[in-house]
Amino acid sequence: MNLILLGPPGAGKGTQAEALVKKHGLVQLSTGSMLREAVKAGTEVGRQADAVMKAGGLVSDNIVIGVIADRIAQPDCARGAIFDGFPRTLAQAAALDDLLAKRNMPLDAVVELKVDDAAMVSRISGRYSCAKCGAGYHDTNKIPKVAGVCDACGATTFSRRADDNAETVQKRLLEYYRETSPLIGYYFAKGKLKRVDGMAPINEITNAVEAALGLVERV
Ligand code: AMP
C-alpha cells in the first residue's frame, strides 16, 4: 500500500504516519526527517538544505526528488510506504508518479488532513520528540504516559525542532498554500483524494484514515 499524507505543517501527518507504521507495518518516508538527518550528518544534501529549512522555505525539487528516489529503491519499501511531507510541489508529484510507475507500485490514496489554520501555530509550538527514537509528543495534546519518559523507547531526553517557531511557521504555511495546496486538486482529479477531519482526537483521525484506506470497516 502506498499512501500520501497531505496537509499544512502541524496537521498531524507525522503522528498519523507513526500510528499507521505501528499498526500496519508500513514504512514512513518523511522527507523532512531525512533532510534533518542529512543536515546533522553534514552531507552535501544537508549543506544545501540547511539554510532553506531554517528559514521555512522549500528545499529544491531536484534535491528532494533525489532523496526520495534513493530511499524508495531500498528493499523495505517494496511492500509500500507512507509519504509524509512529500510531494510538496506539482513537480515533485509528477516525479513521484514516474518513480512509482517505474517500480510498479500503485498509489492507493492521498489523504488530506483538513485542519483549522489558526490552530496550527499553537500545535507546532507545543510539539517535541524523543531525542533517541523520534516518537512525537505535544505539551498538551500528546504527553508521555510517564512524565519525561518516552512511551516508545524509555529514553528521557527530548528535543524541539529549530524551525518550530511562530515566525518560521508563518513562512511554512505560506509555502504550503502557494506550492503544496494545488496538489489537492491534482489528486482529486486523479480520483485519489480522501479528506479526513484533522482536528478530531488523534485516535479518531487514525480510525478515519484507516477507514478511508479500506484498512478497517467504518463503524
Ligand atoms: P517537515 O518535517 O515535513 O515539516 O519538513 C521540514 C522542512 O524540510 C520543510 O519546511 C522544508 O524546508 C523541508 N522539506 C521537507 N520536505 C520537503 C519537500 N518535499 N520539498 C521541499 N522541502 C521539503
Side-chain angles (χ1 to χ4, degrees):
M1 159 156 307
N2 291 291
L3 156 73
I4 295 171
L5 291 174
L6 262 188
K13 301 184 294 293
T15 302
Q16 292 307 319
E18 268 179 36
L20 293 167
V21 165
K22 238 184 249 162
K23 290 175 81 171
H24 303 285
L26 299 165
V27 176
Q28 175 184 2
L29 300 190
S30 156
T31 40
S33 301
M34 292 178 214
L35 292 168
R36 279 187 290 279
E37 286 299 315
V39 170
K40 223 199 261 171
T43 65
E44 184 52 34
V45 163
R47 271 195 292 275
Q48 291 181 44
D50 193 18
V52 182
M53 290 173 77
K54 280 200 183 105
L58 289 186
V59 175
S60 79
D61 288 334
N62 279 351
I63 291 179
V64 182
I65 291 165
V67 166
I68 278 286
D70 289 346
R71 184 63 187 87
I72 213 177
Q74 303 294 313
D76 62 336
C77 293
R79 280 188 51 228
I82 305 169
F83 294 90
D84 157 16
F86 179 91
R88 260 176 156 99
T89 64
L90 285 167
Q92 292 177 22
L96 181 62
D97 286 346
D98 288 348
L99 281 171
L100 292 176
K102 270 191 203 124
R103 309 191 75 80
N104 281 322
M105 293 166 80
L107 177 60
D108 297 280
V110 178
V111 172
E112 181 199 357
L113 296 173
K114 288 202 67 71
V115 291
D116 167 6
D117 292 329
M120 290 306 102
V121 175
S122 77
R123 262 205 199 179
I124 287 181
S125 49
R127 71 184 185 180
Y128 62 98
S129 61
C130 171
K132 189 168 170 219
C133 75
Y137 296 96
H138 190 277
D139 290 332
T140 50
N141 308 341
K142 193 186 174 205
I143 52 176
K145 290 192 184 91
V146 178
V149 181
C150 175
D151 296 343
C153 76
T156 53
T157 34
F158 297 86
S159 59
R160 285 178 199 263
R161 281 171 44 173
D163 61 348
D164 277 351
N165 59 72
E167 190 191 328
T168 309
V169 171
Q170 297 287 335
K171 171 87 162 96
R172 287 159 66 199
L173 270 174
L174 201 67
E175 292 289 16
Y176 177 78
Y177 284 104
R178 194 164 50 191
E179 299 288 347
T180 311
S181 64
L183 301 189
I184 293 167
Y186 180 82
Y187 289 117
F188 174 76
K190 285 175 169 273
K192 299 287 184 194
L193 190 72
K194 316 266 185 192
R195 290 190 155 118
V196 163
D197 173 13
M199 298 308 289
I202 291 171
N203 62 327
E204 282 178 28
I205 302 172
T206 309
N207 292 343
V209 173
E210 287 172 322
L213 295 173
L215 288 169
V216 287
E217 294 300 315
R218 195 183 280 278
V219 283

